[in-house]
Amino acid sequence: MKKYLLLLFIAIAASGMAIAQSTATVKGIITDATGTPLEAVTLSLYQQASGKLVKISTTTKKGEFEIINLGDGSYKLTASLVGFKPFEKQNIEIKGTEPINVGTLSLEAATRSLENVTVVARKPMVEVKADKTIVNVEAFISNAGGTALDVLEKSPGITVDRDGNISLKGKQGVIVLIDGKQTFLGGQDLANLLRNTASNQLETVEIMTQPSAKYDASGNSGIINIRTKKGRQNGFNGSVNLSYIQALYPKSPNSLNLNYKKDKWTLFTALNYSYWEGFNELKLVRKFPGKGGEPLSAIFDQESNGHFSSKNMGIRTGAEYAFNKNTSIGLQVNGTYNPRTFSSEGSAAIYDGESLLDSTNVAISRNTDKWKNFGANFNFRKRLDTTGREITADLDHIWYGSNAVQTSDNYTFYQPGNQLADSFLLRGNLPSDIKIYSAKVDYVHPLGKLGKLEAGLKTSLVKTDNDARYYLWDADAKDWADDLTRSNHFLYEENINAAYINYSRELKKWSFQTGLRMEHTNAKGTQLSNNESFKRDYAQLFPTAFLSYKLNDKNQLSANYGRRIERPNYQDMNPFQYFLDQYTFRMGNPYLQPQFSHNIEVSHNYKGVLNTTLNYSVTTDIINDILKQNDSTKVTFQTKENIARRRNVGIAISYNQPITKWWTVSLYGNVFNNQFTGFVNGLPLDAGFTAFMANMNNQFKFAKTWGGEISGFYRSKMQDGGLIVALPMGVINFGVSKQVLKSKGTLKLSINDPFYIQKFRGYTQFGSIDTEINARWDNRRAALSFNYRFGKLQNGGPQRRKTGSATDEQNRVGGGNQQ
């Protein structure tokens, strides 16, 4: 063990100084007889003379493969996939550094059924590519029985805070896609969606810190694309996933995937049902400054015990029809129904400036909501010729609706005597309606074998209608009265039109890509309750540039630059108020402005297993959570504002490699510094903080059908937005797996956070705000899951559309209260 750790340390220390022979690349595309790209084809490269295996690779969802770091010589390439006849290409000659493109290779369908043949392949846990990092979800045993949010929390460079907000390399502003299309959710509603998406529905997580101009410019810190499982074989096939989780409360995420492909038709359906129940505990200590030089006027010692439950039911179904190998159309619809409740009982001991108990506030709150979603995507694909020219188009319509009902009953008891002195009874009806329409078209034009030009157009229209109606109990009238100070009817409409062009080229050891995206935004918001409105009309350019240089067969350098925008989530602009008690609540801010960032990265890759990245970014008008406080009424609320300018600099190192035949390790470490300068609550802000985060995963093979895992992460003390300081947090997980039923089934047992160490602790000390925060939740879990694959495995796999026209707007819906 010590020997391997020493070798790892030496490799990291020497990663920037390795020198070796010249290098080359072999790449191409694998399709079936109809020209449909094939995914997960295994490519093996052998020395022609000796037959020695040199490297193994697999094709992407577009059928593309690339085998890098090859020396001079003659090679043989083989391709294999279940349901197809093996393919060989002999005498591939490599000399120097010129890339070898073998073109498009077609696999012939096997003539016999492979129903009783099972091929088991093990994907690496983490793959570091030139433009992204790929996390293979099923390679982590501890993901069994978990959720999509759990998967993200374990992924390299990603952090999830206590409210479910996602950061990448210490920076917020992440766009989350599912199968290349945005969820149109943000804030806690995005967190709720990911919490109600079972990990057994996911295939990979793609992390892109610097997307090209083809993607929407939103997302200051990058894009996370979650790819779900899809069938790839002809005939009828599918899988069923059953899970049971026991924590303090039970949980059970389950799913069923069905696929059918025959001739020109492809049909697919995915059903899921999840029951999720749990708790969260929140403790706050708030100190209020005194007047006239007194140290304190009051101390609030608050504790809230919350309980939540949800039943998430979802369906995704669709069909694709291939007129021929060059033309296809597809239709996909999806829907979600998620009734959920959150209730809390809390108390606040209120002390005077001399720490004598003055009064006690008891709060009982409940939020119920029936969250609904419908989405439809129509897509078209046309290959124009054999050179690779292609045009694709997408039309999307997405609707989200909810009708939340909120109650908050507060009673104040004065001391001594514990006499009821006051009550604050609040009711709220909070209907929300969001409609999104989007369309885009993309064109790809190859320029010889080593160049490519891409261009596209997109337009989107978003309409939101949020009507918050609050009522206060009038003790004198003994009836509910309209609370006009809190009620609000907020309408928002936004149109974004975009165009982009992207050019890429390979030249000997060099490869580069440059692009430019233009986005024009026209938005209008109206608060009907006070007849206030605002309009925004602006156009922005977003350039991107990528450059890569292969030093030799072991070392590759790359650099990239991009300008990006982060628009506020729709619900963050909604002035609704969500209550913990009468002294503590959260509300939106309709006057938020977008934030802009310039991002630069320089990276070095050693032998494909050790990657080192330096990053630097500057973000203006940073959108961040802040606390506001009324010292006289003792009310504290959380909202978002454009508070500051942020400078972020960091270094990240990842290592992914088998240590022995039975032990594979994946390590990730990131050290970064955030510096914030600006104004908060009218006071100047100048705060800097250096932090560290690390992820570790060890996979073990005990035998042909047994596997094990030890994984975890650690985050040092870090500062969020210059205001909230989060104290260190970490977790460790264990798992074991067993293949059963002739390897068609897999049993997984995972134990997450058995030592119950993953808790949030933090504080804010700024101006008159002095708050301590402690939170914990239902995180210590034992999960048992069973996955079974069924159906005939023969012939090829269908091409599945992976992108839609809605690639920005969904992430910006927010709200909700589930923890």
Side-chain angles (χ1 to χ4, degrees), residues 109-150:
T111 56
R112 63 186 182 92
S113 171
L114 299 178
E115 180 178 2
N116 297 319
V117 177
T118 302
V119 176
V120 180
R122 293 179 61 89
K123 290 186 177 181
M125 293 176 289
V126 178
E127 301 174 74
V128 179
K129 305 290 187 179
D131 59 342
K132 59 190 171 185
T133 298
I134 301 174
V135 178
N136 292 300
V137 177
E138 284 199 337
F140 292 74
I141 299 172
S142 61
N143 286 331
T147 68
L149 196 64
D150 296 331

Side-chain angles (χ1 to χ4, degrees), residues 65-81:
F65 70 90
E66 184 178 31
I67 304 175
I68 64 175
N69 298 332
L70 302 175
D72 293 350
S74 180
Y75 296 90
K76 177 181 72 173
L77 179 69
T78 68
S80 61
L81 178 66

